[in-house]
Amino acid sequence: MRVCGNTDMAFRDQSRGQTRVTEVSQTFHRSSDPYLHAVECVTGSPEETEALAARLAGQLRAGDVVAVSGELGAGKTTFVRGAARALGVREPVSSPTFTIGHRYDAPVPVAHLDLYRLAGIDPEEWGDLEPYFDGTVAFVEWPEHGGEWLPDARATVTLNHVDESHRQVKIDSEDDLGL
Ligand code: ADP
Ligand code: MG
């Protein structure tokens, strides 16, 4: 399966103001912010979203935080599942909506937080959250609810509904993640 390779997929790479071609059928535009690397594509199935996440996962290291935004059903947990699998997580990866987070064993441990139910973070709540970021690659759904407490994200993923089976996936980073 090719990610971002179908003709109905738009794939854009903005790289320090310069366009660069990485796949034949992609379309590109220049970044308005020359210091931000942004990749954007439309996936046609959950598996394609997982495969794109796996590509991002290959660039991640211990201590990295990935913010995953988008409305309910946009595919945030699907994206995290694909990344976690690629990082070596073998357990089922499900939404931690009814707990604040999961921590999975893997060569580099993986944390998966869902802050949907948080109205705001106070120091006590941060005390509960902080261990999830210790030595992990941490994925955070609803990062907006974490406010200023969250560590800076190495990458920000934004998912949007296109139709039943298509999602627009945008990945922003200050680093060139080579996606
Ligand atoms: P969220 O965590 O954002 O609420 P989930 O990942 O739990 O979303 O659910 C996304 C739903 O959308 C799943 O039922 C998934 O099968 C479906 N879906 C359909 N097309 C896609 C796609 N291209 N990418 C991701 N999920 C998709
Ligand atoms: Mg979710």
Side-chain angles (χ1 to χ4, degrees), residues 149-173:
W149 287 90
L150 286 188
D152 286 342
R154 175 126 187 271
T156 298
V157 180
T158 309
L159 294 124
N160 281 296
H161 282 92
V162 176
D163 61 27
E164 200 176 324
S165 60
H166 291 83
R167 301 290 187 272
Q168 181 199 54
V169 188
K170 194 168 174 234
I171 304 175
D172 293 307
S173 179

mmCIF file of all heavy atoms in Angstrom, residues 149-173:
data_model
loop_
_atom_site.group_PDB
_atom_site.id
_atom_site.type_symbol
_atom_site.label_atom_id
_atom_site.label_comp_id
_atom_site.label_asym_id
_atom_site.label_seq_id
_atom_site.Cartn_x
_atom_site.Cartn_y
_atom_site.Cartn_z
ATOM 1 N N TRP A 149 0.602 23.525 30.243
ATOM 2 C CA TRP A 149 1.340 22.538 31.020
ATOM 3 C C TRP A 149 2.064 21.527 30.151
ATOM 4 O O TRP A 149 3.083 20.979 30.558
ATOM 5 C CB TRP A 149 0.377 21.796 31.958
ATOM 6 C CG TRP A 149 -0.060 22.635 33.111
ATOM 7 C CD1 TRP A 149 -1.143 23.455 33.152
ATOM 8 C CD2 TRP A 149 0.594 22.767 34.372
ATOM 9 N NE1 TRP A 149 -1.214 24.078 34.367
ATOM 10 C CE2 TRP A 149 -0.161 23.677 35.142
ATOM 11 C CE3 TRP A 149 1.743 22.194 34.928
ATOM 12 C CZ2 TRP A 149 0.193 24.024 36.436
ATOM 13 C CZ3 TRP A 149 2.088 22.544 36.221
ATOM 14 C CH2 TRP A 149 1.333 23.443 36.955
ATOM 15 N N LEU A 150 1.515 21.260 28.992
ATOM 16 C CA LEU A 150 2.103 20.201 28.175
ATOM 17 C C LEU A 150 3.491 20.579 27.692
ATOM 18 O O LEU A 150 3.728 21.732 27.313
ATOM 19 C CB LEU A 150 1.238 19.942 26.942
ATOM 20 C CG LEU A 150 -0.070 19.208 27.143
ATOM 21 C CD1 LEU A 150 -0.657 18.877 25.785
ATOM 22 C CD2 LEU A 150 0.131 17.961 27.971
ATOM 23 N N PRO A 151 4.405 19.614 27.672
ATOM 24 C CA PRO A 151 5.702 19.884 27.051
ATOM 25 C C PRO A 151 5.500 20.238 25.578
ATOM 26 O O PRO A 151 4.524 19.816 24.965
ATOM 27 C CB PRO A 151 6.445 18.549 27.179
ATOM 28 C CG PRO A 151 5.681 17.729 28.159
ATOM 29 C CD PRO A 151 4.276 18.233 28.159
ATOM 30 N N ASP A 152 6.421 20.991 25.023
ATOM 31 C CA ASP A 152 6.316 21.351 23.603
ATOM 32 C C ASP A 152 6.260 20.095 22.743
ATOM 33 O O ASP A 152 6.985 19.136 22.991
ATOM 34 C CB ASP A 152 7.527 22.187 23.171
ATOM 35 C CG ASP A 152 7.432 23.602 23.714
ATOM 36 O OD1 ASP A 152 6.325 24.010 24.105
ATOM 37 O OD2 ASP A 152 8.477 24.276 23.754
ATOM 38 N N ALA A 153 5.415 20.137 21.747
ATOM 39 C CA ALA A 153 5.288 18.985 20.855
ATOM 40 C C ALA A 153 6.375 19.022 19.792
ATOM 41 O O ALA A 153 6.665 20.076 19.233
ATOM 42 C CB ALA A 153 3.913 18.979 20.194
ATOM 43 N N ARG A 154 6.967 17.885 19.509
ATOM 44 C CA ARG A 154 7.921 17.795 18.386
ATOM 45 C C ARG A 154 7.171 17.799 17.072
ATOM 46 O O ARG A 154 7.657 18.309 16.061
ATOM 47 C CB ARG A 154 8.746 16.514 18.546
ATOM 48 C CG ARG A 154 9.677 16.218 17.402
ATOM 49 C CD ARG A 154 11.096 16.024 17.877
ATOM 50 N NE ARG A 154 12.009 15.913 16.761
ATOM 51 C CZ ARG A 154 12.317 14.761 16.172
ATOM 52 N NH1 ARG A 154 11.824 13.628 16.612
ATOM 53 N NH2 ARG A 154 13.146 14.742 15.137
ATOM 54 N N ALA A 155 5.970 17.239 17.092
ATOM 55 C CA ALA A 155 5.123 17.240 15.895
ATOM 56 C C ALA A 155 3.676 17.444 16.315
ATOM 57 O O ALA A 155 3.261 16.980 17.369
ATOM 58 C CB ALA A 155 5.272 15.935 15.120
ATOM 59 N N THR A 156 2.947 18.152 15.475
ATOM 60 C CA THR A 156 1.520 18.353 15.698
ATOM 61 C C THR A 156 0.766 17.756 14.523
ATOM 62 O O THR A 156 1.030 18.114 13.365
ATOM 63 C CB THR A 156 1.196 19.857 15.822
ATOM 64 O OG1 THR A 156 1.897 20.364 16.970
ATOM 65 C CG2 THR A 156 -0.292 20.085 16.012
ATOM 66 N N VAL A 157 -0.124 16.834 14.831
ATOM 67 C CA VAL A 157 -0.921 16.160 13.805
ATOM 68 C C VAL A 157 -2.344 16.685 13.901
ATOM 69 O O VAL A 157 -2.915 16.740 14.989
ATOM 70 C CB VAL A 157 -0.912 14.624 14.026
ATOM 71 C CG1 VAL A 157 -1.747 13.921 12.957
ATOM 72 C CG2 VAL A 157 0.509 14.094 14.063
ATOM 73 N N THR A 158 -2.903 17.092 12.773
ATOM 74 C CA THR A 158 -4.288 17.576 12.753
ATOM 75 C C THR A 158 -5.065 16.771 11.729
ATOM 76 O O THR A 158 -4.684 16.710 10.551
ATOM 77 C CB THR A 158 -4.325 19.076 12.385
ATOM 78 O OG1 THR A 158 -3.416 19.779 13.233
ATOM 79 C CG2 THR A 158 -5.726 19.643 12.585
ATOM 80 N N LEU A 159 -6.148 16.136 12.205
ATOM 81 C CA LEU A 159 -6.978 15.302 11.323
ATOM 82 C C LEU A 159 -8.325 15.963 11.110
ATOM 83 O O LEU A 159 -8.898 16.537 12.042
ATOM 84 C CB LEU A 159 -7.195 13.929 11.958
ATOM 85 C CG LEU A 159 -5.922 13.085 12.101
ATOM 86 C CD1 LEU A 159 -5.708 12.655 13.529
ATOM 87 C CD2 LEU A 159 -6.000 11.866 11.200
ATOM 88 N N ASN A 160 -8.825 15.868 9.902
ATOM 89 C CA ASN A 160 -10.143 16.408 9.575
ATOM 90 C C ASN A 160 -10.920 15.427 8.713
ATOM 91 O O ASN A 160 -10.350 14.767 7.833
ATOM 92 C CB ASN A 160 -10.006 17.730 8.799
ATOM 93 C CG ASN A 160 -9.690 18.890 9.720
ATOM 94 O OD1 ASN A 160 -10.489 19.248 10.578
ATOM 95 N ND2 ASN A 160 -8.503 19.457 9.556
ATOM 96 N N HIS A 161 -12.225 15.349 8.967
ATOM 97 C CA HIS A 161 -13.098 14.538 8.125
ATOM 98 C C HIS A 161 -13.145 15.112 6.704
ATOM 99 O O HIS A 161 -13.299 16.317 6.534
ATOM 100 C CB HIS A 161 -14.534 14.566 8.650
ATOM 101 C CG HIS A 161 -14.768 13.681 9.818
ATOM 102 N ND1 HIS A 161 -14.642 14.108 11.128
ATOM 103 C CD2 HIS A 161 -15.141 12.379 9.890
ATOM 104 C CE1 HIS A 161 -14.927 13.116 11.936
ATOM 105 N NE2 HIS A 161 -15.234 12.056 11.234
ATOM 106 N N VAL A 162 -13.018 14.261 5.717
ATOM 107 C CA VAL A 162 -13.321 14.639 4.337
ATOM 108 C C VAL A 162 -14.658 13.993 3.959
ATOM 109 O O VAL A 162 -15.595 14.672 3.585
ATOM 110 C CB VAL A 162 -12.205 14.198 3.371
ATOM 111 C CG1 VAL A 162 -12.578 14.515 1.933
ATOM 112 C CG2 VAL A 162 -10.894 14.877 3.765
ATOM 113 N N ASP A 163 -14.719 12.667 4.086
ATOM 114 C CA ASP A 163 -15.991 11.948 3.968
ATOM 115 C C ASP A 163 -15.866 10.699 4.820
ATOM 116 O O ASP A 163 -14.935 10.578 5.623
ATOM 117 C CB ASP A 163 -16.358 11.660 2.507
ATOM 118 C CG ASP A 163 -15.341 10.780 1.798
ATOM 119 O OD1 ASP A 163 -14.654 9.993 2.492
ATOM 120 O OD2 ASP A 163 -15.222 10.869 0.562
ATOM 121 N N GLU A 164 -16.757 9.740 4.634
ATOM 122 C CA GLU A 164 -16.806 8.585 5.530
ATOM 123 C C GLU A 164 -15.461 7.876 5.655
ATOM 124 O O GLU A 164 -15.059 7.464 6.749
ATOM 125 C CB GLU A 164 -17.870 7.612 5.013
ATOM 126 C CG GLU A 164 -18.363 6.640 6.053
ATOM 127 C CD GLU A 164 -19.474 5.769 5.511
ATOM 128 O OE1 GLU A 164 -20.295 6.277 4.718
ATOM 129 O OE2 GLU A 164 -19.492 4.583 5.867
ATOM 130 N N SER A 165 -14.760 7.727 4.533
ATOM 131 C CA SER A 165 -13.529 6.936 4.565
ATOM 132 C C SER A 165 -12.264 7.767 4.348
ATOM 133 O O SER A 165 -11.161 7.223 4.375
ATOM 134 C CB SER A 165 -13.599 5.826 3.510
ATOM 135 O OG SER A 165 -13.744 6.408 2.232
ATOM 136 N N HIS A 166 -12.409 9.062 4.111
ATOM 137 C CA HIS A 166 -11.235 9.905 3.847
ATOM 138 C C HIS A 166 -11.015 10.899 4.977
ATOM 139 O O HIS A 166 -11.964 11.497 5.484
ATOM 140 C CB HIS A 166 -11.390 10.660 2.528
ATOM 141 C CG HIS A 166 -11.325 9.765 1.325
ATOM 142 N ND1 HIS A 166 -12.415 9.062 0.878
ATOM 143 C CD2 HIS A 166 -10.287 9.461 0.498
ATOM 144 C CE1 HIS A 166 -12.056 8.347 -0.192
ATOM 145 N NE2 HIS A 166 -10.773 8.573 -0.433
ATOM 146 N N ARG A 167 -9.750 11.060 5.317
ATOM 147 C CA ARG A 167 -9.380 12.043 6.321
ATOM 148 C C ARG A 167 -8.208 12.868 5.803
ATOM 149 O O ARG A 167 -7.263 12.316 5.238
ATOM 150 C CB ARG A 167 -8.933 11.363 7.628
ATOM 151 C CG ARG A 167 -9.971 10.459 8.265
ATOM 152 C CD ARG A 167 -11.137 11.233 8.845
ATOM 153 N NE ARG A 167 -12.029 10.356 9.599
ATOM 154 C CZ ARG A 167 -13.043 9.681 9.063
ATOM 155 N NH1 ARG A 167 -13.313 9.790 7.770
ATOM 156 N NH2 ARG A 167 -13.799 8.901 9.817
ATOM 157 N N GLN A 168 -8.267 14.164 6.035
ATOM 158 C CA GLN A 168 -7.112 15.002 5.754
ATOM 159 C C GLN A 168 -6.194 14.924 6.984
ATOM 160 O O GLN A 168 -6.659 15.095 8.115
ATOM 161 C CB GLN A 168 -7.559 16.441 5.538
ATOM 162 C CG GLN A 168 -6.420 17.382 5.222
ATOM 163 C CD GLN A 168 -6.815 18.826 5.467
ATOM 164 O OE1 GLN A 168 -7.273 19.178 6.548
ATOM 165 N NE2 GLN A 168 -6.633 19.653 4.471
ATOM 166 N N VAL A 169 -4.939 14.645 6.738
ATOM 167 C CA VAL A 169 -3.976 14.528 7.828
ATOM 168 C C VAL A 169 -2.852 15.516 7.576
ATOM 169 O O VAL A 169 -2.190 15.466 6.544
ATOM 170 C CB VAL A 169 -3.382 13.103 7.920
ATOM 171 C CG1 VAL A 169 -2.541 12.970 9.181
ATOM 172 C CG2 VAL A 169 -4.481 12.045 7.883
ATOM 173 N N LYS A 170 -2.638 16.420 8.527
ATOM 174 C CA LYS A 170 -1.575 17.412 8.409
ATOM 175 C C LYS A 170 -0.583 17.175 9.540
ATOM 176 O O LYS A 170 -0.991 16.987 10.691
ATOM 177 C CB LYS A 170 -2.181 18.811 8.512
ATOM 178 C CG LYS A 170 -1.264 19.894 8.073
ATOM 179 C CD LYS A 170 -2.016 21.215 7.910
ATOM 180 C CE LYS A 170 -1.014 22.304 7.603
ATOM 181 N NZ LYS A 170 -1.071 23.450 8.482
ATOM 182 N N ILE A 171 0.681 17.152 9.225
ATOM 183 C CA ILE A 171 1.723 16.963 10.241
ATOM 184 C C ILE A 171 2.669 18.156 10.173
ATOM 185 O O ILE A 171 3.285 18.402 9.137
ATOM 186 C CB ILE A 171 2.505 15.649 10.019
ATOM 187 C CG1 ILE A 171 1.540 14.458 9.998
ATOM 188 C CG2 ILE A 171 3.554 15.463 11.110
ATOM 189 C CD1 ILE A 171 2.196 13.125 9.655
ATOM 190 N N ASP A 172 2.733 18.902 11.260
ATOM 191 C CA ASP A 172 3.605 20.075 11.347
ATOM 192 C C ASP A 172 4.747 19.789 12.316
ATOM 193 O O ASP A 172 4.530 19.181 13.359
ATOM 194 C CB ASP A 172 2.833 21.281 11.912
ATOM 195 C CG ASP A 172 1.754 21.767 10.970
ATOM 196 O OD1 ASP A 172 2.089 22.012 9.805
ATOM 197 O OD2 ASP A 172 0.605 21.891 11.404
ATOM 198 N N SER A 173 5.916 20.270 11.976
ATOM 199 C CA SER A 173 7.046 20.145 12.893
ATOM 200 C C SER A 173 8.058 21.233 12.589
ATOM 201 O O SER A 173 8.144 21.710 11.461
ATOM 202 C CB SER A 173 7.706 18.771 12.739
ATOM 203 O OG SER A 173 8.815 18.669 13.600
#
